[in-house]
Amino acid sequence: MKNWLVPLTIITLAGCGGSSGGDSNTPPPPTDNTELVLTGETTVIAGDSVDFTIRSSDGSVLSDINWSIETQDVALLAAHTQAVGFDAPAAGDYPMSVTASFANGSQQTLDFVLNVQEGETPLAITRLGHEASEGNRVSLRVDANHPDSTAGSPITVTDISWQQVSGPNAINVRFDDGDDPRYDIYFQAPPVTADQVIEFQATVTYDNGDNGNDTVQVLVKNIQADQDSYFVDETDGRLQTVTDHMLPYRADSPYANALEQCVYSNTITSTCTFGTLPLIGQETEDPSIDDILDRTYVSHPWMGDAFKAFLETSAASEDIRNLLRATTAVVISYEVRPSFYWVATGAIYLDANNFWRTPAERDTLNTIPDYRSNFGDSLNFRTYWRYVRDGEYFYPQPGFSAQLRRSRNNQDIEASLAWLMYHELAHANDFFNYQVWSTLSAANDPLSYYNRNSTQSDSLDNALPLTSQELHDLAEVRYGGEDATATQRGYSAQQVANWFEPDGAVSFYSYFTRREDFANLVERFMMLYRLGVASDVGVFTRETIENNEAIITWGQRNRINTPELQQRVDFAVSRVLPELDVPQILTALPQPQQLPEGASWRDTLTLNEAGEVVESKSSKWAESQGMFAEEHTVMPALPAGR
């Protein structure tokens, strides 16, 4: 049953507005009798999802939010926002409280009790209630949870339906084309003139006739957004924004104010100078973990915790800390997808999906698919890559379907994150290599410097360019969203392999831009050298992928050490990590190995010296999240649409 908490004075908030440049959407000041409005179910069944939202009764701004619950069995991972969501613990009464400050400086605390009862296992669990800025991208998920379903006698889901049951209408509601039944729903938070709550209900139907439903809340926050901001786009007269609940991971960081001012918000319209937010390499030649964490800006504190653990435990830590000298900040947010480096701010922006350790942390993430997911679908071939170590998938990681509710350890996070860090930081060092850090003045800024100078990837492209124009053009289709021509749609997988094999690229993504070419070389080399992780690349027909056979037309392991690439690898890596003797290292690294033509990608994890399949890993394949990871990118100098 629902037991909604309401204030003593109930008022109706009417009308929808929208943010714009300047202060035209300034919320009203608090009135003398304003109070907190709390919504959420206070009586729930153990194991079900729980969410609560807080807002002011008169629409005025709230700040300094802090939620608490009297149990160690629940972690409130978004306690600094106006909405919290979590799974209900064991039966019992759990005192909770939320404190918030009003714009006039006054503060209120609201105390209440969450009553968790024993009961039948929920057949549907929606996750996760959270706060979203107006104009922000939102994702929600429902998990099927039938207690009688077993491996030997499964009860399967036949249908999932979603319905908005309250609040201002969500915008651009859609579902993943490959998600049937529809476990995930995506939409854009509507414009509001005061904080409002949207509620969705999901209904799950099973093949034995059972069905269950559950609801979830999203607090849509009224924010200030400048339409000229680096991080705000306008589409069809509506602003698309980023989250408004970022915070410095270290509140006492000397750069806390600069992070808030310079790297990720809906009001940034210009680039900060190095005097305000310098490159880390301008401040120190040997950055410590503390130095890095002082520059870390997160949407949820757990992301900074996970990043700290990675820096403390990963074999790549020293490399990563040194490469971070070319950045101003590390931004980790639940909504960043895909990850990217941006010279306009000098920061790297990381998808928090690479950091989660527990199912609860994963629940906080936005799961809207990478906008490039369907690019190139009309092409008659597919290309995939993966990382392999000791005959097992290293990345992508098998066995971590969201519905399995599994946790990840430090080694899992290293596998998920190290390759991404090497890649994005190769971009940063491409734009700001070690030779320039000491020459940058406090009055200069990242964007101005870039506009006046060339990059290391420019030099690589001039000295040792990739030669296949066909693959350059196909990359514009696959990664840039260009429409494929009739000729391109007719290219076979074998033709693509014939162009790729003799050229100097380590990945097909390398053909998209010279920046990606440079970063891919650094990433693949460092993963093999530092972590002993082999990289595979393969070409397939579209038909064999659609049939879930994944038969290899052409494939290669450790392409990074082919004669065609060695000079290019040395060029890129030596300009990023000059202390490494790249030619000498290459002589000691594993030699390239052809993947057997006609074999299944899933069965080629372990090969003997002759390149023959030793054992099948089909069971592991069946658990895998996919055959290749989402690509990563470097943003243009100025935003051209997100």
Side-chain angles (χ1 to χ4, degrees):
M1 68 176 186
K2 291 186 180 296
N3 183 12
W4 294 98
L5 295 173
V6 296
L8 296 177
T9 302
I10 302 175
I11 63 172
T12 301
L13 304 179
C16 290
S19 301
S20 61
D23 297 323
S24 62
N25 199 39
T26 303
T31 58
D32 291 339
N33 61 350
T34 189
E35 51 193 335
L36 298 179
V37 180
L38 180 70
T39 62
E41 297 185 34
T42 56
T43 300
V44 298
I45 300 299
D48 203 355
S49 60
V50 180
D51 51 52
F52 296 103
T53 77
I54 195 78
R55 63 191 193 274
S56 65
S57 59
D58 59 5
S60 58
V61 171
L62 297 179
S63 63
D64 300 324
I65 313 295
N66 186 50
W67 299 80
S68 66
I69 183 170
E70 292 186 16
T71 176
Q72 295 184 349
D73 295 332
V74 172
L76 300 181
L77 299 177
H80 64 297
T81 76
Q82 289 179 231
V84 290
F86 54 92
D87 284 1
D93 288 335
Y94 298 90
M96 296 187 66
S97 69
V98 58
T99 300
S101 297
F102 297 96
N104 61 8
S106 63
Q107 189 178 77
Q108 277 189 26
T109 297
L110 198 157
D111 298 311
F112 60 103
V113 175
L114 172 65
N115 173 242
V116 181
Q117 302 179 351
E118 296 286 359
E120 294 184 0
T121 301
L123 297 182
I125 301 178
T126 52
R127 300 179 176 99
L128 184 72
H130 65 283
E131 172 193 300
S133 302
E134 56 178 323
N136 207 188
R137 297 174 298 169
V138 179
S139 70
L140 300 170
R141 176 177 175 83
V142 62
D143 284 318
N145 193 47
H146 203 293
D148 298 331
S149 184
T150 64
S153 181
I155 298 174
T156 60
V157 175
T158 59
D159 183 65
I160 295 176
S161 62
W162 290 85
Q163 180 182 8
Q164 183 175 344
V165 295
S166 67
N169 290 334
I171 298 172
N172 297 332
V173 177
R174 63 186 182 89
F175 303 91
D176 187 345
D177 291 340
D179 192 17
D180 187 18
R182 294 172 165 177
Y183 290 94
D184 299 273
I185 186 173
Y186 314 114
F187 59 90
Q188 184 179 2
V192 295
T193 54
D195 301 342
Q196 296 196 47
V197 176
I198 286 178
E199 185 181 18
F200 272 86
Q201 177 176 278
T203 300
V204 178
T205 303
Y206 296 88
D207 61 1
N208 67 348
D210 290 345
N211 64 76
N213 58 68
D214 195 20
T215 58
V216 61
Q217 298 182 100
V218 177
L219 186 289
V220 181
K221 184 174 177 62
N222 179 31
I223 64 167
Q224 291 298 295
D226 193 315
Q227 62 189 10
D228 296 322
S229 169
Y230 286 172
F231 296 98
V232 174
D233 278 347
E234 185 172 359
T235 304
D236 298 329
R238 295 187 298 269
L239 300 187
Q240 180 172 300
T241 65
V242 297
T243 183
D244 200 50
H245 63 245
M246 299 294 295
L247 72 167
Y249 175 61
R250 292 255 175 100
D252 59 353
S253 165
Y255 298 100
N257 290 336
L259 292 173
E260 293 173 345
Q261 174 187 345
C262 300
V263 297
Y264 195 61
S265 82
N266 294 296
T267 57
I268 296 174
T269 58
S270 61
T271 301
C272 289
T273 66
F274 291 123
T276 300
L277 189 61
L279 298 178
I280 294 173
Q282 292 178 266
E283 301 285 286
T284 177
E285 294 183 0
D286 184 23
S288 66
I289 292 176
D290 287 335
D291 292 328
I292 303 305
L293 297 178
D294 278 344
R295 303 295 193 98
T296 301
Y297 198 47
V298 297
S299 63
H300 297 70
W302 70 259
M303 298 168 187
D305 296 340
F307 186 39
K308 178 175 181 287
F310 168 79
L311 293 174
E312 290 173 340
T313 62
S314 174
S317 177
E318 183 177 356
D319 295 332
I320 299 306
R321 285 185 281 114
N322 286 334
L323 291 170
L324 279 163
R325 291 177 296 182
T327 68
T328 59
V330 178
V331 178
I332 312 171
S333 176
Y334 80 104
E335 62 184 351
V336 169
R337 178 165 293 191
S339 300
F340 61 95
Y341 164 80
W342 203 7
V343 72
T345 61
I348 58 170
Y349 298 79
L350 301 176
D351 181 350
N353 187 53
N354 297 89
F355 291 82
W356 66 267
R357 298 161 298 179
T358 67
E361 290 176 351
R362 190 179 194 176
D363 289 339
T364 66
L365 303 179
N366 189 304
T367 60
I368 288 181
D370 185 333
Y371 68 92
R372 303 165 298 179
S373 298
N374 296 324
F375 289 176
D377 279 358
S378 64
L379 298 174
N380 206 30
F381 67 93
R382 297 291 184 264
T383 63
Y384 294 137
W385 64 268
R386 67 188 176 196
Y387 280 119
V388 176
R389 187 166 70 182
D390 299 329
E392 301 283 352
Y393 273 95
F394 187 78
Y395 190 87
Q397 298 167 301
F400 286 110
S401 168
Q403 196 159 343
L404 294 176
R405 310 292 292 169
R406 291 176 177 170
S407 295
R408 299 194 297 187
N409 58 30
N410 287 337
Q411 291 72 34
D412 296 324
I413 302 305
E414 180 179 64
S416 177
L417 187 55
W419 66 274
L420 179 66
M421 296 299 294
Y422 279 128
H423 187 98
E424 300 307 336
L425 293 175
H427 284 313
N429 285 267
D430 177 16
F431 285 84
F432 294 100
N433 75 86
Y434 66 96
Q435 295 176 315
V436 308
W437 301 336
S438 62
T439 69
L440 301 170
S441 71
N444 210 335
D445 65 77
L447 185 57
S448 297
Y449 177 86
Y450 163 75
N451 286 333
R452 295 194 305 268
N453 295 274
S454 61
T455 65
Q456 300 302 308
S457 56
D458 292 331
S459 299
L460 173 64
D461 189 59
N462 290 331
L464 300 165
L466 299 178
T467 60
S468 173
Q469 188 59 49
E470 292 89 350
L471 293 181
H472 278 296
D473 294 341
L474 286 169
E476 288 296 328
V477 176
R478 174 62 185 89
Y479 307 114
E482 295 293 328
D483 292 333
T485 66
T487 298
Q488 289 173 324
R489 291 194 297 272
Y491 289 150
S492 69
Q494 189 61 60
Q495 284 178 291
V496 171
N498 292 342
W499 292 323
F500 181 76
E501 184 173 17
D503 209 355
V506 72
S507 162
F508 286 88
Y509 192 39
S510 300
Y511 289 95
F512 185 41
T513 69
R514 63 189 68 177
R515 318 298 185 209
E516 300 304 340
D517 178 27
F518 184 91
N520 282 330
L521 291 168
V522 174
E523 173 202 328
R524 297 294 203 276
F525 173 86
M526 292 306 300
M527 289 295 288
L528 184 58
Y529 167 58
R530 186 65 70 200
L531 298 178
V533 178
S535 59
D536 292 351
V537 60
V539 186
F540 309 80
T541 66
R542 180 174 65 182
E543 179 182 13
T544 191
I545 297 302
E546 292 176 346
N547 292 340
N548 197 31
E549 297 171 332
I551 303 301
I552 298 170
T553 297
W554 176 92
Q556 193 172 44
R557 178 165 294 168
N558 294 327
R559 181 172 171 80
I560 195 72
N561 210 8
T562 61
E564 294 85 3
L565 271 80
Q566 288 177 345
Q567 189 177 1
R568 304 185 84 244
V569 172
D570 182 25
F571 188 106
V573 177
S574 64
R575 283 159 175 78
V576 169
L577 292 168
E579 63 271 22
L580 298 182
D581 185 345
V582 178
Q584 181 62 35
I585 292 170
L586 285 171
T587 64
L589 291 180
Q591 292 300 302
Q593 194 173 30
Q594 293 301 122
L595 302 183
E597 180 182 346
S600 171
W601 181 253
R602 72 192 68 171
D603 293 335
T604 55
L605 292 174
T606 302
L607 305 174
N608 61 23
E609 292 184 0
E612 300 166 331
V613 174
V614 173
E615 58 180 312
S616 170
K617 296 293 181 181
S618 296
S619 60
K620 285 288 187 182
W621 167 266
E623 294 181 318
S624 179
Q625 299 286 309
M627 286 179 284
F628 74 114
E630 293 178 358
E631 299 286 7
H632 27 271
T633 190
V634 56
M635 294 291 284
L638 285 175
R642 293 183 63 80

